[in-house]
Amino acid sequence: MIENVVKGDSVAPILDRALDAGEGLLRLSPNWVPRSFLHPGKRIKLHPEDWYAYGAHRGGIDERWFASTTDAANDGRVWYEGQSFGLFEGQHFLLKDAVAEAGERLIGKSMFSKYDRWPVYSKFFDNMGPIPHHFHQSAKDAALVGQEGKPESYYFPPQLNNVDNNFAYTFMGLTPDTTKAQLRKCLEDWHKGDNGVTYLSQAHRLKRGTGWLIPPGVLHAPGSLCTYEPQWGSDVFGMFQSLVEGREVPWSLLVKDMPEEKHQDLDFIIGQLDWEKNVDPNFKANNYLEPIADESRSGKGYTDRWIVYGTVDGAQMFSSKELTIEPGAKCTLKDPGASGWITMQGSGRMGKLKLQTPAMIRFGAETEDEVFISYEAATAGVEIENTGSEPLVGLRYFGPDVHSNLPAMGAFRQA
């Protein structure tokens, strides 16, 4: 559990000292999230004795969230579940409070004035098998229950995928010939066992080192590769599949983010889907991602690659890059916006902060793999050096409207 938490008016002094000492970089603590309805995939380096650290009744830990100011929507949650903490001089403070205190310095004037928070987060999602075919609400539909909508994205890092686990395929969308009547019948059959919703979909085999961009309102059933997921800062969803690997999915997980009076209105429930995107005959072409080298940010001994790019309904919601630095090399990382960084492989330093990829992490222990790169540091430039004998690899994700050179969907085909 997180201890020595600085709150309220006391955050400003420690935050100033931390930012000054780190030259705009903040060390973040591991942020573990359990899910009661899922089975941990056991690849995110948490110690085997700690998979159920929140208690067996809470479910296993199969997620680690990065640079998050978003609450995890879990029943029985601890008060900070999903929230990331900064760490300095043995004391913790919420990244959420830090942004509220020094938003312009941390995320930039434009983003802070528009959103009044860091509006995105990313996570490792690590499951033993597939999860239910589900969707995330649009901004309009989520607003009906006082929430925000959620587009999300996937990247399958090779470093965390030495094994496939049980089902390395993801059902996405619906087949182009699916009718709303067929989907309605699946909801009508909810309590009969397997409601058959995946018969109306197509599974795509997951490939390490690639990814997907999933707009809100689109059904998907993530498979069992460990996934890095930049996404909007919301935890809304609705499950459309009643039985997964023999485990019942309660109706409450379908309607948890819908108005109470609509919980049995099947037409309303189906109406929250973006139908055209679900039955898109060119679904893969419009949603699949492969890395693209950013030549303007690469040089001798280091390569910066786009791994999440493209827009959602024309809006740049989030993006992500993978930086690889060869042994003995270093570079100055200069970005137009803040980012959350997680070290995937190797060791080195970022500015004055040490980078070390852990082999195993105890619940509650601190690590040297996660950093929040403030707007101040990103725009000034941060020196990163590989001091180890293997490549130093880090993933970082950005908030909305940061890049002027963000590739479009499908750009990897022309790269």
Side-chain angles (χ1 to χ4, degrees):
M1 307 296 281
I2 299 293
E3 300 177 345
N4 299 323
V5 178
V6 178
K7 300 179 181 178
D9 294 339
S10 300
V11 170
I14 191 172
L15 174 62
D16 286 342
R17 294 200 307 275
L19 286 172
D20 289 345
E23 297 178 342
L25 304 176
L26 288 179
R27 173 74 71 202
L28 299 182
S29 297
N31 177 4
W32 306 107
V33 175
R35 296 295 190 182
S36 61
F37 51 90
L38 299 177
H39 183 183
K42 303 181 178 180
R43 292 167 298 195
I44 53 177
K45 304 182 180 180
L46 185 62
H47 193 285
E49 294 180 8
D50 296 334
W51 291 113
Y52 293 89
Y54 288 99
H57 66 291
R58 293 293 320 282
I61 294 172
D62 65 349
E63 299 185 9
R64 180 180 171 185
W65 291 21
F66 302 114
S68 170
T69 63
T70 299
D71 289 329
N74 287 337
D75 290 336
R77 63 188 296 275
V78 298
W79 68 270
Y80 54 79
E81 207 159 300
Q83 294 282 343
S84 290
F85 283 87
L87 174 67
F88 185 68
E89 297 178 340
Q91 295 183 298
H92 294 91
F93 53 92
L94 285 169
L95 179 61
K96 178 180 180 178
D97 289 345
V99 172
E101 182 65 37
E104 292 188 14
R105 190 175 180 186
L106 282 171
I107 66 173
K109 182 177 181 180
S110 176
M111 191 179 299
F112 186 61
S113 63
K114 184 173 182 178
Y115 299 101
D116 199 35
R117 68 181 186 117
W118 177 242
V120 288
Y121 72 106
S122 188
K123 65 183 179 182
F124 288 153
F125 176 80
D126 180 34
N127 208 48
M128 185 61 70
I131 73 170
H133 211 34
H134 69 282
F135 80 107
H136 304 288
Q137 277 84 353
S138 67
K140 178 182 177 182
D141 287 330
L144 298 176
V145 291
Q147 300 289 331
E148 293 192 36
K150 185 169 80 164
E152 64 182 12
S153 60
Y154 308 144
Y155 175 69
F156 309 112
Q159 294 88 349
L160 297 182
N161 282 296
N162 58 309
V163 294
D164 285 357
N165 282 357
N166 293 349
F167 193 79
Y169 304 82
T170 291
F171 286 94
M172 298 186 195
L174 299 165
T175 58
D177 60 343
T178 301
T179 66
K180 292 183 179 180
Q182 288 175 306
L183 187 59
R184 195 181 201 280
K185 182 67 164 55
C186 292
L187 298 183
E188 293 170 352
D189 290 345
W190 190 273
H191 299 292
K192 295 181 180 180
D194 181 358
N195 67 346
V197 67
T198 53
Y199 289 129
L200 304 179
S201 185
Q202 299 177 107
H204 297 263
R205 186 179 178 186
L206 305 181
K207 182 180 179 182
R208 292 163 179 80
T210 71
W212 295 79
L213 181 63
I214 303 296
V218 172
L219 289 163
H220 52 290
S224 60
L225 283 193
C226 185
T227 312
Y228 176 70
E229 298 188 6
Q231 58 199 272
W232 197 251
S234 173
D235 201 22
V236 295
F237 60 82
M239 302 295 190
F240 263 72
Q241 189 174 354
S242 62
L243 200 69
V244 180
E245 294 186 318
R247 301 187 306 276
E248 176 195 7
V249 180
W251 184 266
S252 61
L253 289 181
L254 167 64
V255 298
K256 81 176 188 71
D257 294 307
M258 300 180 192
E260 188 172 356
E261 67 273 14
K262 299 293 188 180
H263 283 192
Q264 301 300 322
D265 187 334
L266 303 190
D267 293 327
F268 173 85
I269 293 170
I270 292 172
Q272 290 211 326
L273 299 178
D274 187 319
W275 193 258
E276 294 308 313
K277 284 188 173 68
N278 276 281
V279 298
D280 180 3
N282 298 310
F283 189 93
K284 183 175 181 180
N286 291 328
N287 295 275
Y288 175 68
L289 299 164
E290 289 200 3
I292 300 173
D294 184 348
E295 302 296 345
S296 67
R297 305 285 180 178
S298 302
K300 184 178 181 180
Y302 65 97
T303 304
D304 204 23
R305 302 193 304 167
W306 296 101
I307 56 172
V308 171
Y309 47 89
T311 60
V312 178
D313 294 326
Q316 183 185 141
M317 307 295 288
F318 43 74
S319 55
S320 183
K321 302 182 84 174
E322 176 189 69
L323 178 65
T324 301
I325 305 176
E326 298 303 323
K330 60 183 176 182
C331 70
T332 298
L333 186 68
K334 196 169 185 179
D335 288 319
S339 65
W341 165 286
I342 179 65
T343 312
M344 300 300 300
Q345 181 179 346
S347 59
R349 67 171 180 85
M350 176 185 292
K352 293 183 177 180
L353 298 186
K354 184 179 178 181
L355 297 177
Q356 175 64 48
T357 309
M360 187 177 293
I361 311 169
R362 292 305 307 242
F363 183 79
E366 302 297 342
T367 59
E368 296 179 320
D369 59 344
E370 187 178 356
V371 179
F372 187 79
I373 305 173
S374 72
Y375 177 86
E376 176 184 275
T379 54
V382 180
E383 186 174 80
I384 305 179
E385 181 179 11
N386 184 343
T387 59
S389 59
E390 63 177 321
L392 174 62
V393 182
L395 306 180
R396 67 195 192 281
Y397 77 95
F398 305 88
D401 302 318
V402 167
H403 301 286
S404 60
N405 64 333
L406 188 71
M409 287 300 300
F412 70 90
R413 297 185 182 91
Q414 289 81 44

